[in-house]
Amino acid sequence: MTTQNICAGAPSHKSVIWSSINWEKCHREVRKLQVRIAKATREGRHGKVKCLQWLLTHSFSGKALAVKRVTGNQGSKTAGVDKIKWLTPGAKSQAILSLRRYGYSPLPLKRVYIPKSNGKNRALGIPTMKDRAMQALYLLALEPVAETTADRRSFGFRTGRCTADAIEQCFICLAKKSSAQWVLEGDIKGCFDNISHSWLLTNTPMDRKILDMWLKVGYIENQQFFPVHAGTPQGGIISPTLANMVLDGLESILALNFGKIAAHPGKKVNYIRYADDFIITGNSKEILANEVVPLVERFMRERGLTLSPEKTRIAHINDGFDFLGQNIRKYGNKLLIKPSQSNTADFLAKVRSTIKGNKTTSQRNLIWLLNPMIRGWANYHQHVVSKEVFERVDHEIWCALWQWCRRRHPQKGRRWIKDRYFRTLKGCDWIFAEKGAQASSGPLLCLSKASDTKIKRHTVLKLDACIFDPRWEIYFEKRFALKLLNSLKGREKLLNILLSQNGKCLVCHEVITSESGWVAHYLVRRVDGGSDRNTNLVMVHPDCHHQIHANTLTVVEPAHVSGL
């Protein structure tokens, strides 16, 4: 593959051809700098960290990857207040050259609202494409520091960590007979909106002039400008990392005051956080109310934050509590984690709304709409005690589908409706399925069942693992591969293709993950007689797929070569 011979670590002032960028080299050079930043952070060499961050944020590779990120995600077609989008290769190429610190001034955010589960609206600030790219660029330099200094049991908005890791830590801290019996459910009131700007500017290891401009840029709503004096707006790429850095440090403070080597051992204080939701365990209600809560409030007050009185409460483990969509409760001496009632009810309401909102669509289209919802929800809860809940959810979905069928054919009997919409497969009756469109004997398109998802215990994350430490490289690659394989369950064709490529893209040789996305590329085009067999398909990243067609490259099977 022909690519530009641009030094990935050098400033970018030359012309750029988007389809000719060597992404493998860009990833490699940025990764090297990030590893060096993390190493310098561990060693306490703050001057070295600052120099390496400057090098990364002024490099061609960093700018190219920043533009690639903001033009390859779901928000790439949403413009900011300037109404500019980077949709063409030419626009993306010019965008790389435009990312310069000198003369940079961010534009106000575009305020939009999205509904929350409690009926309220969450305010989001949408930056312009250039501001998003600048945030993505500086995040590349800030993230190694944030990961190295983060709390061990912080799991939200961090690469390689997820809600299942947080739930597994809850099980570890609460499952034993001798475990803590009381739990403080903490929630921060308007976390993103109330973070102290002065605290951020004093304690965030990044370019303070750039950070100050982002924090004070304000937003536009109904064509009116509103200034801001606190908070980091939700919607910005760098905002979750900034919020994590604000909340980091509480775990070490709790360990210092209530750890095994503290003056009063046996209080069993453990801390688990996901984004701005956290729990703290304790051996008694008094310890949590009289000792832990004042300490937490003092920690939050220094950062301009307060606990939400409506959502913060102390519960006994026998009464249970909800955390991240799961209900955690002890029945006797046995701890069981199940999908929470509110989470299940919200999911069923969404399914029923989809079915009622598509009264006249075809059965095939309805199945296409419902399958991702059912699979996604079931996969989220597959690591806990969910079998009974899955079966009840399947029954409720069947009831909604039966009403949908009856409404379409009010003059027909039940037997006729059953024969029209339901099939018997592998001994299972009442399978909502439609035959394939190609022929009457073609494959069946079936509605997924939540109960078909196997319950599998989540693999415990090693808390000391750092994504930017080379010693943990293979460990995280295995975890990413396992996560992707789980997401491809039921799609054996793509799964086999991915395994034949060792889980990596054939263009940039970077790992294909659920977050990066993928495209199935035909080695021999279908218009040229290419088949749909596995031997004629490879999986590549979306941008790499564009490179193949833009440069008329020829990809050969992974069994023969490892690249292009």
Side-chain angles (χ1 to χ4, degrees):
M1 181 175 67
T2 303
T3 59
Q4 283 186 313
N5 189 22
I6 300 176
C7 180
S12 55
H13 302 294
K14 301 179 182 179
S15 60
V16 179
I17 302 176
W18 180 261
S19 58
S20 298
I21 295 175
N22 188 337
W23 293 113
E24 181 181 4
K25 185 176 181 180
C26 290
H27 281 288
R28 185 172 62 248
E29 294 300 326
V30 168
R31 178 70 180 178
K32 286 180 179 178
L33 287 172
Q34 289 180 320
V35 169
R36 292 178 65 189
I37 292 172
K39 183 174 182 291
T41 302
R42 288 194 299 271
E43 295 172 352
R45 302 169 63 190
H46 304 297
K48 185 71 171 178
V49 170
K50 188 175 181 179
C51 292
L52 292 171
Q53 287 181 324
W54 188 96
L55 183 61
L56 198 161
T57 54
H58 288 73
S59 68
F60 171 81
S61 293
K63 295 177 181 181
L65 290 181
V67 173
K68 182 181 180 182
R69 173 173 180 175
V70 300
T71 57
N73 57 23
Q74 294 182 348
S76 60
K77 296 182 180 179
T78 303
V81 294
D82 60 355
K83 301 181 180 179
I84 294 177
K85 304 175 187 177
W86 297 340
L87 302 178
T88 64
K92 297 175 185 179
S93 300
Q94 291 299 317
I96 295 176
L97 302 178
S98 70
L99 299 185
R100 296 183 180 180
R101 182 184 185 278
Y102 180 76
Y104 170 69
S105 180
L107 293 176
L109 308 175
K110 181 172 71 173
R111 177 61 64 94
V112 297
Y113 294 90
I114 59 174
K116 297 170 65 175
S117 58
N118 59 6
K120 299 180 180 180
N121 290 326
R122 175 181 284 111
L124 294 183
I126 308 299
T128 63
M129 291 297 295
K130 183 175 181 178
D131 294 336
R132 275 178 252 175
M134 286 292 285
Q135 289 190 19
L137 175 61
Y138 279 84
L139 179 59
L140 289 173
L142 179 63
E143 195 172 12
V145 181
E147 282 294 319
T148 305
T149 60
D151 287 343
R152 296 170 73 245
R153 290 185 174 85
S154 165
F155 300 98
F157 303 121
R158 295 181 63 188
T159 305
R161 300 188 175 213
C162 61
T163 54
D165 295 317
I167 294 299
E168 192 64 27
Q169 286 299 315
C170 292
F171 183 86
I172 292 172
C173 294
L174 296 167
K176 296 180 181 179
K177 291 183 180 179
S178 58
S179 297
Q181 299 295 306
W182 293 88
V183 177
L184 169 67
E185 301 174 63
D187 185 270
I188 302 170
K189 185 176 182 180
C191 177
F192 282 85
D193 298 328
N194 297 304
I195 295 174
S196 169
H197 284 181
S198 60
W199 193 96
L200 273 173
L201 291 170
T202 303
N203 296 277
T204 305
M206 66 168 289
D207 191 315
R208 293 179 182 176
K209 182 179 178 181
I210 295 290
L211 178 59
D212 186 51
M213 287 191 293
W214 284 338
L215 294 176
K216 298 178 180 178
V217 70
Y219 64 91
I220 292 179
E221 183 178 4
N222 297 326
Q223 299 182 343
Q224 185 177 354
F225 174 77
F226 295 89
V228 293
H229 305 287
T232 171
Q234 295 187 68
I237 289 177
I238 204 171
S239 295
T241 301
L242 292 177
N244 266 339
M245 297 191 75
V246 169
L247 299 176
D248 283 334
L250 180 57
E251 184 177 30
S252 59
I253 292 175
L254 290 172
L256 182 64
N257 287 271
F258 304 102
K260 293 181 180 179
I261 60 175
H264 303 286
K267 296 185 178 181
K268 302 176 183 177
V269 174
N270 297 287
Y271 171 74
I272 301 166
R273 178 171 66 85
Y274 187 92
D276 58 341
D277 294 326
F278 64 89
I279 67 164
I280 301 176
T281 67
N283 206 30
S284 69
K285 187 175 183 179
E286 290 72 22
I287 290 174
L288 293 176
N290 301 329
E291 299 183 44
V292 173
V293 170
L295 190 149
V296 173
E297 289 178 339
R298 184 166 60 253
F299 175 87
M300 297 296 175
R301 196 179 305 116
E302 293 175 357
R303 292 151 174 79
L305 302 173
T306 57
L307 294 178
S308 171
E310 298 85 9
K311 298 181 180 179
T312 300
R313 71 185 188 98
I314 298 176
H316 194 276
I317 191 61
N318 290 341
D319 298 325
F321 63 97
D322 291 347
F323 186 55
L324 303 178
Q326 316 283 12
N327 179 260
I328 304 172
R329 181 180 175 185
K330 260 189 178 178
Y331 299 82
N333 290 323
K334 190 174 185 63
L335 182 75
L336 296 182
I337 304 177
K338 305 178 181 180
S340 68
Q341 292 184 1
S342 59
N343 182 274
T344 304
D346 290 341
F347 169 69
L348 287 174
K350 183 179 179 181
V351 171
R352 294 187 184 108
S353 176
T354 301
I355 295 174
K356 291 181 180 179
N358 292 273
K359 296 178 180 178
T360 59
T361 192
S362 65
Q363 182 183 14
R364 189 176 189 84
N365 288 338
L366 185 61
I367 294 175
W368 278 109
L369 288 172
L370 294 179
N371 273 351
M373 297 167 54
I374 297 172
R375 288 172 184 161
W377 183 82
N379 286 338
Y380 182 82
H381 294 288
Q382 67 176 331
H383 304 300
V384 299
V385 185
S386 306
K387 198 64 178 178
E388 292 183 2
V389 179
F390 283 174
E391 292 175 353
R392 183 175 68 84
V393 163
D394 287 339
H395 174 71
E396 294 293 336
I397 294 176
W398 180 90
C399 292
L401 289 173
W402 182 251
Q403 291 182 355
W404 181 83
C405 297
R406 291 285 302 271
R407 181 190 178 279
R408 292 165 69 90
H409 306 283
Q411 305 300 324
K412 299 293 185 179
R414 296 182 179 180
R415 174 61 61 181
W416 186 95
I417 293 175
K418 179 182 182 299
D419 294 339
R420 170 66 176 80
Y421 291 102
F422 296 88
R423 308 282 183 267
T424 300
L425 296 175
K426 298 179 181 181
C428 296
D429 202 3
W430 292 97
I431 303 297
F432 192 72
E434 183 189 57
K435 288 187 177 181
Q438 295 181 355
S440 58
S441 59
L444 290 174
L445 177 62
C446 304
L447 183 74
S448 297
K449 284 189 173 183
S451 56
D452 290 338
T453 302
K454 294 182 179 179
I455 306 300
K456 185 178 180 181
R457 184 73 178 266
H458 182 69
T459 305
V460 179
L461 175 75
K462 295 181 180 179
L463 298 178
D464 293 325
C466 178
I467 194 72
F468 296 106
D469 190 337
R471 295 173 296 179
W472 297 98
E473 186 83 19
I474 297 177
Y475 174 76
F476 278 106
E477 280 190 2
K478 290 180 179 179
R479 288 185 68 88
F480 289 146
L482 181 61
K483 182 179 179 181
L484 185 59
L485 293 178
N486 288 334
S487 69
L488 291 176
K489 284 182 179 178
R491 291 181 280 182
E492 286 75 13
K493 189 171 188 175
L494 291 177
L495 184 58
N496 292 331
I497 295 171
L498 185 68
L499 291 175
S500 70
Q501 300 175 197
N502 293 323
K504 295 186 177 181
C505 172
L506 295 185
V507 179
C508 65
H509 304 294
E510 288 294 315
V511 176
I512 295 176
T513 66
S514 304
E515 290 75 19
S516 69
W518 65 84
V519 174
H521 172 70
Y522 286 83
L523 301 176
V524 179
R525 297 184 306 173
R526 284 175 291 180
V527 295
D528 296 330
S531 68
D532 287 328
R533 294 181 178 178
N534 289 14
T535 54
N536 192 44
L537 286 167
V538 294
M539 290 176 67
V540 295
H541 292 126
D543 274 316
C544 296
H545 187 246
H546 173 75
Q547 274 193 326
I548 294 172
H549 290 283
N551 296 328
T552 61
L553 301 173
T554 301
V555 188
V556 296
E557 296 180 46
H560 301 293
V561 297
S562 60
L564 295 180

